[in-house]
Amino acid sequence: MNSTSQVNAPEAVRANSNPAKNDAFVRIENVVKKFGESTAVDNVSLNIAKNELFALLGSSGCGKSTLLRMLAGLETATSGRIFVDGEDLATLPPYRRPVNMMFQSYALFPHMSVESNVAFGLKQEGVAKNEIRERVADALNLVQMGRYAKRKPHQLSGGQQQRVALARSLVKRPKLLLLDEPMSALDKKIRQKTQLELVNIIEKVDVTCVMVTHDQEEAMTMANRLAVMSEGRIVQIGSPSEVYEFPNSRFSAEFIGSTNLFEGRVVEDEPDHIFVESDDLETRMYVSHGVTGPLGMPVGISVRPERVRVTRERPGTQHNWARGVVTDVAYMGSYSLYHVRLPGGKVVVSNLSSSHLMTDGAPAWNDDVYVSWSPASGVVLTQ
Ligand SMILES: Nc1ncnc2c1ncn2[C@@H]1O[C@H](COP(=O)(O)OP(=O)(O)OP(=O)(O)O)[C@@H](O)[C@H]1O
Ligand SMILES: [Mg+2]
């Protein structure tokens, strides 16, 4: 553990961010997975509550699929243990594991109808014909694909195929549903629609779901909680808003959303605020969060673009502002994205809502402006 610590997140929020060990439906304890010399999953511990939709988020190669495959029992951990519903996965034979996994490419059988695709797993298990018919119909209705039962996969849109794949997983009534990049085959528009549909479907059935994605918006939209992973390790666990509002590290702050990161040193340390000097800014930064550590310690201050104001008038305060020049304005519909270059060269990014710009008169390209933010907008990062 680092000798410094952050006190950004309210205690109550942090206390809720992980279910107690005994309430956990999935318990991952110190799991390591090595392939030869390289470590794909590096000492991960994680509790997931019943009926949670939990997302593993991280860039390519960080170990998400490997962790998911271990939850499915498709890979064995090099060390550590995994419990699902109180039972150690390693001691359960595959057919007794209450888990179903939808793979990164969920390829349906192309020559089989939708109905047969969904029935396939049940047939293999030797479930009685009547029961198969009933369960397949229920699963297809759940994903609103009942009308398409007789079609072949190539006669469906990408989003419809994805729902059939989900029905194929759910028809087996797993207690734990594992989804590896469930939207990867869909284009952006269908993706967003399907994300919400998927959440609705999962909420209707009694299932705990762990989903892998490298798309942070997808994780934010869908998950109750998420884990940010990097190089086989978990960097941060929390609800989407906790991780966004209170990133615990530079990695989280930059991975989830975009942010302005100012590097500086603590020059005054009070219980409820600190002052930070940064070479990037002419004024001191006043941050209304504490930090534990010596004066002079290096910290990063993360300020989200939507917290940054861009004005022609000089702010009335002594802190948290800088002079700059607008170098770019991109109209994004509901907001405009401003790039403001400070004298030292740093570019500060600001999202200004369009309604705000209409009333105030918008700063334009090449204008001399001030960027500023409130003391509550900065998050102190020590790692
Ligand atoms: N069977 C294997 N043998 C050797 N190395 C492997 C094996 N499976 C995965 N790895 C390695 O383990 C690391 C993690 O892989 P993993 O598939 O879990 O990443 P990921 O986070 O799912 O990435 P992506 O987003 O690209 O799917 C990678 O460096 C990968 O090359
Ligand atoms: Mg993967």
Side-chain angles (χ1 to χ4, degrees):
M1 204 52 204
N2 200 302
S3 63
T4 60
S5 66
Q6 270 181 277
V7 284
N8 284 332
E11 281 308 320
V13 172
R14 277 194 293 171
N16 284 335
S17 66
N18 219 352
K21 189 174 164 179
N22 294 336
D23 296 340
F25 183 72
V26 178
R27 243 161 65 210
I28 302 174
E29 292 183 359
N30 304 106
V31 164
V32 174
K33 177 67 183 179
K34 293 191 175 184
F35 293 107
E37 287 299 291
S38 72
T39 305
V41 173
D42 191 1
N43 199 20
V44 164
S45 294
L46 179 63
N47 291 335
I48 298 171
K50 195 160 170 46
N51 292 343
E52 233 184 331
L53 202 171
F54 192 94
L56 297 171
L57 180 64
S59 46
S60 183
C62 74
K64 306 177 296 290
S65 292
T66 305
L67 185 57
L68 206 67
R69 290 173 61 80
M70 286 191 282
L71 283 174
L74 298 169
E75 278 317 336
T76 33
T78 309
S79 62
R81 298 211 290 176
I82 298 176
F83 297 87
V84 176
D85 205 7
E87 296 200 83
D88 188 339
L89 264 197
T91 64
L92 285 179
Y95 65 89
R96 281 204 47 220
R97 291 179 191 145
V99 183
N100 191 283
M101 174 142 164
M102 199 171 108
F103 290 93
Q104 201 156 348
S105 64
Y106 49 73
L108 300 170
F109 302 116
H111 56 283
M112 285 187 196
S113 67
V114 161
E115 202 170 47
S116 311
N117 263 285
V118 177
F120 184 80
L122 297 180
K123 271 191 192 147
Q124 282 210 313
E125 276 178 20
V127 175
K129 273 205 175 124
N130 285 345
E131 189 183 338
I132 293 183
R133 204 175 310 123
E134 221 166 274
R135 280 169 68 173
V136 168
D138 283 350
L140 285 176
N141 286 337
L142 183 68
V143 300
Q144 297 179 336
M145 287 297 293
R147 290 193 295 136
Y148 301 87
K150 304 289 180 208
R151 290 214 191 161
K152 296 276 171 61
H154 72 91
Q155 296 168 313
L156 304 175
S157 74
Q160 290 168 338
Q161 290 180 28
Q162 198 274 344
R163 297 205 311 253
V164 174
L166 184 66
R168 193 169 62 173
S169 293
L170 288 175
V171 79
K172 299 183 90 175
R173 296 184 185 154
K175 289 186 190 162
L176 178 61
L177 175 67
L178 306 173
L179 306 174
D180 196 348
E181 302 275 2
M183 315 285 170
S184 56
L186 307 182
D187 65 40
K188 188 155 174 107
K189 200 146 184 208
I190 306 179
R191 237 179 137 114
Q192 286 171 339
K193 184 167 162 277
T194 311
Q195 283 165 1
L196 298 175
E197 284 173 2
L198 200 83
V199 171
N200 285 337
I201 293 165
I202 287 167
E203 278 172 358
K204 276 189 206 144
V205 269
D206 186 24
V207 72
T208 305
C209 182
V210 183
M211 177 182 100
V212 159
T213 176
H214 62 265
D215 177 342
Q216 50 108 1
E217 267 178 44
E218 187 165 295
M220 303 275 283
T221 316
M222 295 181 65
N224 305 117
R225 284 192 310 143
L226 54 89
V228 179
M229 288 183 71
S230 169
E231 295 177 8
R233 290 177 164 269
I234 290 181
V235 178
Q236 184 168 13
I237 301 174
S239 68
S241 65
E242 278 174 81
V243 177
Y244 185 80
E245 299 293 344
F246 302 105
N248 69 352
S249 57
R250 292 169 178 86
F251 184 88
S252 266
E254 297 199 292
F255 193 80
I256 305 282
S258 62
T259 199
N260 295 291
L261 201 52
F262 298 97
E263 294 297 338
R265 316 157 284 289
V266 178
V267 292
E268 204 178 308
D269 183 6
E270 296 295 330
D272 63 342
H273 71 265
I274 58 170
F275 282 98
V276 173
E277 271 178 11
S278 167
D279 296 340
D280 292 328
L281 293 179
E282 53 197 301
T283 60
R284 281 183 167 187
M285 276 185 276
Y286 170 28
V287 190
S288 56
H289 298 297
V291 68
T292 311
L295 279 185
M297 75 181 287
V299 290
I301 304 295
S302 158
V303 184
R304 297 288 186 193
E306 66 274 20
R307 301 283 194 148
V308 176
R309 292 183 291 263
V310 179
T311 52
R312 292 210 180 82
E313 304 76 41
R314 181 179 165 141
T317 60
Q318 302 292 315
H319 320 289
N320 295 346
W321 60 261
R323 229 180 287 271
V325 177
V326 176
T327 55
D328 213 351
V329 185
Y331 176 70
M332 310 294 280
S334 60
Y335 67 95
S336 289
L337 196 63
Y338 276 73
H339 285 190
V340 176
R341 199 178 63 238
L342 308 189
K346 186 176 179 68
V347 174
V348 173
V349 180
S350 164
N351 294 350
L352 298 181
S353 83
S354 297
S355 54
H356 167 85
L357 290 172
M358 303 270 233
T359 51
D360 286 2
W365 183 74
N366 232 5
D367 278 359
D368 289 320
V369 292
Y370 294 87
V371 289
S372 60
W373 53 92
S374 72
S377 299
V379 176
V380 187
L381 306 171
T382 57
Q383 298 181 35

